[in-house]
Amino acid sequence: MTMSVPAAPVGIIGGTGLASLGTLEITGERSVTTRWGEPSSSLVEGRLGSQPVVFIARHGNPHRIPPHQVNYRANLQALYDAGVRVVVGVNAVGGIHADMGPAHIVIPDQLIDYTWGRASTFFEDELEEVTHIDFTWPYDSSARDVLISGARNAGVPFSDFGVYGATQGPRLETAAEIARMERDGCDIVGMTGMPEAVLAAELGMRYASLGLVVNWAAGKTERVITMAEIEAAIAEGMSGVKQILERSVAELGQLTPWSNLDVLV
């Protein structure tokens, strides 16, 4: 007689609205703590079909933690401790690339980190040895492939490439800063992509980003950026994000765990 092994949960980091996926059954919610302190929110646990999922609200619930003050280490550690080994970070971003306007979905393949002063590694303080991980490809290719397939199956317009420029926030960027980022090769800009991606890599978690463009980046139009514009793009585009997740989580849950620590520099 063989015993079935329970599926590992898929972690989803984003807004609390994502916990309303169409066929999601919420099974519990619990507050946790980690060696890095309190995560942004409690963990919301559920099942999408037979696949367990765990949600965490990156900015808290209610939405009140600014990007530069998110406890990214606690968030990733809390998911890891809950058994998560595959993570999708849902990110609201600004569009720089001409094809990446409001309500468009981007599954980025690269990033440039412009943030500063954030706690950005688990490998510090009382180390037995200095640890460097390979970060050539910041997003897991297998997880990206699953999201890309999910987007195609959903018939949702999306881009399967993009360089994510991570800025400090909480202010939006100047037009000159966006012009510089465009020269650097950035296609989208956001404030939460780092250190989230590298912390997941340090824990050996497969991590991919699902970016929803909520505004044109500064200077890409003659208009100033307003919250009304951002909220309208979220309302229009979030259904596509949910459709992609609904079609992807079961396959994401089948991905085998890996460890970036196997390829230390």
Side-chain angles (χ1 to χ4, degrees):
M1 180 177 179
T2 59
M3 299 291 291
S4 60
V5 179
V10 171
I12 301 176
I13 305 175
T16 54
L18 289 173
S20 61
L21 293 173
T23 58
L24 177 70
E25 174 192 0
I26 299 294
T27 58
E29 182 172 356
R30 58 192 176 94
S31 297
V32 300
T33 189
T34 77
R35 62 192 176 116
W36 306 103
E38 301 293 325
S40 297
S41 72
S42 58
L43 300 181
V44 176
E45 300 169 323
R47 301 189 73 84
L48 199 58
S50 61
Q51 175 59 48
V53 292
V54 180
F55 296 88
I56 192 166
R58 185 187 288 112
H59 296 284
N61 186 15
H63 185 110
R64 61 186 178 188
I65 305 172
H68 67 296
Q69 292 185 330
V70 171
N71 191 340
Y72 295 95
R73 290 193 294 191
N75 288 352
L76 270 298
Q77 188 71 59
L79 290 174
Y80 187 90
D81 292 346
V84 169
R85 297 298 181 268
V86 180
V87 180
V88 178
V90 178
N91 303 100
V93 298
I96 299 175
H97 190 287
D99 295 335
M100 299 179 185
H104 190 69
I105 291 172
V106 182
I107 302 172
D109 59 347
Q110 271 295 338
L111 65 79
I112 300 176
D113 187 9
Y114 300 95
T115 67
W116 51 269
R118 302 183 181 190
S120 58
T121 182
F122 293 113
F123 299 125
E124 61 183 14
D125 300 331
E126 301 181 2
L127 296 176
E128 294 183 2
E129 61 182 355
V130 176
T131 303
H132 306 279
I133 65 163
D134 178 75
F135 202 52
T136 306
W137 308 108
Y139 302 110
D140 180 74
S141 60
S142 296
R144 288 189 70 254
D145 286 345
V146 172
L147 292 177
I148 290 167
S149 177
R152 288 174 177 156
N153 291 337
V156 174
F158 76 104
S159 295
D160 62 359
F161 70 95
V163 177
Y164 181 125
T167 59
Q168 180 70 359
R171 67 168 178 84
L172 298 175
E173 300 73 31
T174 69
E177 287 169 334
I178 293 299
R180 181 192 68 165
M181 293 176 70
E182 188 168 21
R183 291 192 297 272
D184 286 348
C186 296
D187 298 301
I188 52 177
V189 56
M191 302 175 189
T192 56
M194 283 291 284
E196 196 169 273
V198 72
L199 291 171
E202 287 187 351
L203 288 171
M205 303 167 86
R206 296 184 183 271
Y207 178 92
S209 169
L210 194 54
L212 174 61
V213 180
V214 299
N215 58 272
W216 283 111
K220 303 307 289 183
T221 70
E222 296 182 355
R223 302 189 310 274
V224 298
I225 301 168
T226 66
M227 284 306 301
E229 172 190 1
I230 291 173
E231 289 167 359
I234 291 174
E236 180 181 352
M238 191 54 69
S239 63
V241 171
K242 292 180 178 181
Q243 289 179 60
I244 293 170
L245 290 173
E246 288 172 346
R247 285 163 173 79
S248 301
V249 292
E251 191 171 349
L252 289 170
Q254 297 302 308
L255 295 177
T256 56
W258 70 283
S259 176
N260 206 353
L261 299 183
D262 293 335
V263 287
L264 295 180
V265 176

